[in-house]
Amino acid sequence: ERELRILKSELVGDKKGNYNLDLGDTIYKARILQKDLTIVAKDKQSVFGDEIDLEYDCSGLLEGDSLTGGLEIDSRDVGTYIIQNKFSNPNYNIKYTSASCVIKPRDIKILAQNISKTYGDNDPYLNYLVENIVEREPLEGSLIRESGEKVGEYQISIGSLRNTNYNIVEFTPAKFVINKKEISLNIQIENKAYDGTKVATFNYYFSGIVGSDQIEYNATMEFESCDAGEDINVIVKNSYFLGEQLE
């Protein structure tokens, strides 16, 4: 209820002069009822990541008045949502008709990047580029490559990359290359007592071998001279390597 005060009053009619109106300090009370206002939401379709402007028709709002709040949906992810009324104004009784908002997946294209490593090293991260992605919503998962650790080329495929807010319309694979690893061969020629021959014997070891890989080095070596002496040159003949990893 609201208080109503009479600020000015007067009698009318032919006999008004016969009366004196005395209202005193009487306070009257009455109600001011809310005015009906109608809001009808409109169905909306959008694509994930795009700006969503929820539209509506409104009737019954007096000139100069306004509403606070707005229309809302529960999520901006892909799906179908009921448009909810969050408008308010204490002077109005809002009669609301809801609608639906459909958010569709966003089309994207993924381009895998070529990458390489040296035999025996750990795999690097498999990079990719995405066209038309929303910055705040990255993909989940990762690319995958063909299995294998020998030197050669392997294909990079889409693997577990996904996000329900996207529709992957195109994927471009890439190459993963394993390059040969450089190793060092260290040879030590053994001294020997004069025996009238040029035959030389030797020991060797490799630097840079990966894990349990086995590589052998075979060669025939001869001194340039069979005579006793210092710092005699050694000639290497018929040298070759053996090992599965050399294939």
Side-chain angles (χ1 to χ4, degrees):
E1 291 185 341
R2 301 285 186 178
E3 290 186 355
L4 175 64
R5 295 180 181 273
I6 299 176
L7 301 179
K8 182 180 180 181
S9 64
E10 63 178 295
L11 296 173
V12 295
D14 294 339
K15 304 296 184 179
K16 65 180 181 179
N18 298 321
Y19 299 94
N20 181 33
L21 179 62
D22 183 11
L23 296 178
D25 293 328
T26 303
I27 297 176
Y28 300 89
K29 292 184 178 181
R31 292 181 179 178
I32 300 176
L33 301 177
Q34 289 179 317
K35 176 177 170 56
D36 286 343
L37 182 145
T38 300
I39 296 176
V40 179
K42 296 182 179 181
D43 288 334
K44 183 72 174 181
Q45 287 195 356
S46 184
V47 173
F48 173 76
D50 288 352
E51 190 69 29
I52 300 177
D53 182 17
L54 299 174
E55 299 176 337
Y56 61 94
D57 291 325
C58 177
S59 60
L61 188 66
L62 296 180
E63 184 177 353
D65 283 356
S66 61
L67 301 173
T68 60
L71 299 181
E72 294 182 1
I73 55 177
D74 287 336
S75 174
R76 298 291 168 139
D77 290 335
V78 168
T80 300
Y81 304 94
I82 298 299
I83 300 175
Q84 304 169 29
N85 173 45
K86 299 298 181 180
F87 281 117
S88 66
N89 185 316
N91 292 323
Y92 293 91
N93 174 38
I94 298 176
K95 297 181 177 180
Y96 176 69
T97 301
S98 64
S100 295
C101 177
V102 178
I103 302 177
K104 297 180 178 181
R106 188 178 193 86
D107 289 346
I108 61 171
K109 296 179 180 180
I110 300 176
L111 175 65
Q113 303 289 285
N114 293 330
I115 199 166
S116 65
K117 74 167 186 175
T118 299
Y119 172 76
D121 290 350
N122 293 327
D123 278 11
Y125 179 76
L126 302 180
N127 290 308
Y128 56 90
L129 300 176
V130 184
E131 180 181 318
N132 204 33
I133 196 169
V134 177
E135 185 176 351
R136 59 178 170 79
E137 185 74 7
L139 293 172
E140 300 171 355
S142 59
L143 299 176
I144 193 172
R145 72 169 179 90
E146 288 181 278
S147 61
E149 292 299 331
K150 291 184 177 181
V151 169
E153 288 187 359
Y154 302 85
Q155 180 164 293
I156 298 173
S157 57
I158 196 167
S160 60
L161 282 183
R162 63 180 180 84
N163 187 314
T164 55
N165 288 319
Y166 298 112
N167 178 34
I168 301 173
V169 296
E170 183 178 319
F171 174 77
T172 303
K175 292 180 179 180
F176 185 96
V177 179
I178 301 179
N179 297 312
K180 291 184 178 182
K181 180 180 178 64
E182 292 187 1
I183 59 175
S184 300
L185 173 62
N186 302 278
I187 298 175
Q188 297 176 334
I189 307 298
E190 294 183 357
N191 295 326
K192 74 169 188 176
Y194 173 74
D195 61 3
T197 71
K198 296 181 179 180
V199 175
T201 57
F202 64 94
N203 293 311
Y204 70 91
Y205 66 91
F206 289 102
S207 299
I209 296 295
V210 174
S212 60
D213 286 355
Q214 298 293 325
I215 299 178
E216 296 181 6
Y217 174 69
N218 287 280
T220 300
M221 297 189 182
E222 292 183 350
F223 288 103
E224 281 187 333
S225 170
C226 63
D227 296 330
E230 298 289 335
D231 298 328
I232 302 173
N233 292 332
V234 174
I235 301 171
V236 179
K237 297 182 177 181
N238 303 323
S239 65
Y240 60 93
F241 296 89
L242 294 175
E244 181 180 351
Q245 289 72 24
L246 295 173
E247 296 178 1

